[in-house]
Amino acid sequence: MSQITERAPLPDRLGATLAAARVAAGRELDDIARETRVPLRHLRAIEADAHDSLPALPYSVGFVKSFARAVGLDGEVAGARFRAETSKTAHVPAQAQLEPLDERRLPSRGLVMASVVLLVLLLGGLTAYGSGWFDARPESQTATAVPAASEATVTPPVTETANAGTAASVPVPVPTEPASDVVTTPVPAGPGSGVAITANEDAWVRIFAVSAETGRPVTVHTGVITKGQTYDLPATPGLRLWTGRAGALKITVNGRVIPSLGGPVETVRNVSLTPSDLLARIAPRPATATGAP
C-alpha cells in the first residue's frame, strides 16, 4: 500500500481549512474517523490535499462533507469547494457502439413462413394422433352405405340404459374375413345369449359371424354405440367383435363383468363373444408348482 506523503497545506485550500477547524475544535483524526466512519487514511489525504490518494469523486465529496460537519463547518460548502479544487472528474460511462443488423444474416420471410407452417402441421398431426383419428376403421359408417347383394346383415335391437342416446346401427359392406379367424358353423339367432356390451364412451363396433352356406361374414350389428347404451347380443353362435376402442366397452355375461379387452383406443379384431370364451377370461389360472426339483 502506498503511503501518503504529508505536506503543509496551503492556507487557501480546503484541506488547510478543515485541519484548522479540527485543531480549533480540539479533536483528533482518530475521533473523527470513528464518528464519521471515514477511513483514517482518507481523512489525512483530505487535510493534505492529496486528492490522488482519494477514491472516486462521489465518494471523496461524501467524505469531505462528513469531515466538515464533524468539525463544525458547512458540509455542502465544503463539498462545493472540494469539487472546485480537485482535478478528479466524475466517471462517465462509455456509450455502447450499436452496429446496425446485417440483413443478410436474418432469415428470409419465406423461410420464416415455411417454419411456421411446418410447426402448425406438426402440432395438428400430434393432436390428431392423440385423438385417435388414425385408428383403423375399415368399415364405412355413413348412412348412404348399402350392402352388396352377396352380403347379409341382421340388426338386432339396442337396449338403452338411463340417460342414454339413440343407438346408431347402419348396415355397411362386410369385408371378407379369413376363414381361419372366424367360426364357420353359426346357427339362426334365438333368444338372448346373456352377453351385453355397454359403452362407457362412444365406440364404433362390428359384431359378425360366418355363414355356414356361403363361408362369408354376416354382420349382426355395426355402428356406434353411444356412451351409456347397452347392446344385448342374440344367441347366435360364433359371434365375434371388431372395435377401435376396446377399453371403452364393458362386456358382461349374465351380469358378470369381463376384464377389459384392451386400451382406450386399442383396436381389436375377431374377439370371440361366445359366453364360454368370455368367461374363460376371468376363470382362475391353475396354480403352478413351486419348489426344488
Side-chain angles (χ1 to χ4, degrees), residues 135-141 172-178 182 197 203-209 217 219 221-225 239-246 249 251 261 266-273:
D135 290 345
R137 287 196 179 186
E139 303 286 351
S140 172
Q141 300 181 39
V172 297
V174 181
T176 302
E177 299 289 343
V182 294
I197 300 177
W204 174 88
V205 299
R206 179 194 178 200
I207 301 170
F208 64 96
T219 297
H221 176 79
T222 185
V224 176
I225 302 179
L239 291 181
R240 290 183 172 268
L241 172 67
W242 184 349
T243 181
R245 302 192 66 182
L249 302 177
I251 301 178
L261 301 180
E266 183 177 351
T267 299
V268 295
R269 305 185 183 188
N270 295 328
V271 176
S272 175
L273 295 177

Side-chain angles (χ1 to χ4, degrees), residues 91 211 250 264:
H91 174 71
S211 171
K250 182 180 76 172

Side-chain angles (χ1 to χ4, degrees), residues 51 54-64 79 82-84 86-91:
H51 296 179
L54 293 173
L57 181 61
Y59 298 102
S60 298
V61 171
F63 294 163
V64 168
F82 180 82
R83 288 179 181 274
T86 187
S87 60
K88 287 182 173 294
T89 57
H91 174 71

Side-chain angles (χ1 to χ4, degrees), residues 112-135:
V112 174
M113 293 300 296
S115 301
V116 172
V117 171
L118 289 177
L119 180 60
V120 171
L121 291 177
L122 177 61
L123 293 177
L126 292 176
T127 302
Y129 179 79
S131 301
W133 290 5
F134 299 115
D135 290 345

Side-chain angles (χ1 to χ4, degrees), residues 154-165:
V154 180
T155 307
V158 173
T159 302
E160 297 186 6
T161 58
N163 300 325

Side-chain angles (χ1 to χ4, degrees), residues 60-124:
S60 298
V61 171
F63 294 163
V64 168
K65 290 180 179 180
S66 298
F67 192 174
R69 285 191 290 266
V71 297
L73 299 179
D74 190 327
E76 297 300 328
V77 175
R81 281 188 62 184
F82 180 82
R83 288 179 181 274
E85 295 177 3
T86 187
S87 60
K88 287 182 173 294
T89 57
H91 174 71
V92 178
Q95 295 183 354
Q97 299 296 327
L98 301 179
E99 297 181 359
L101 294 176
D102 187 356
E103 293 184 358
R104 293 174 299 179
R105 297 181 181 178
L106 298 177
S108 64
R109 180 176 299 180
L111 180 59
V112 174
M113 293 300 296
S115 301
V116 172
V117 171
L118 289 177
L119 180 60
V120 171
L121 291 177
L122 177 61
L123 293 177

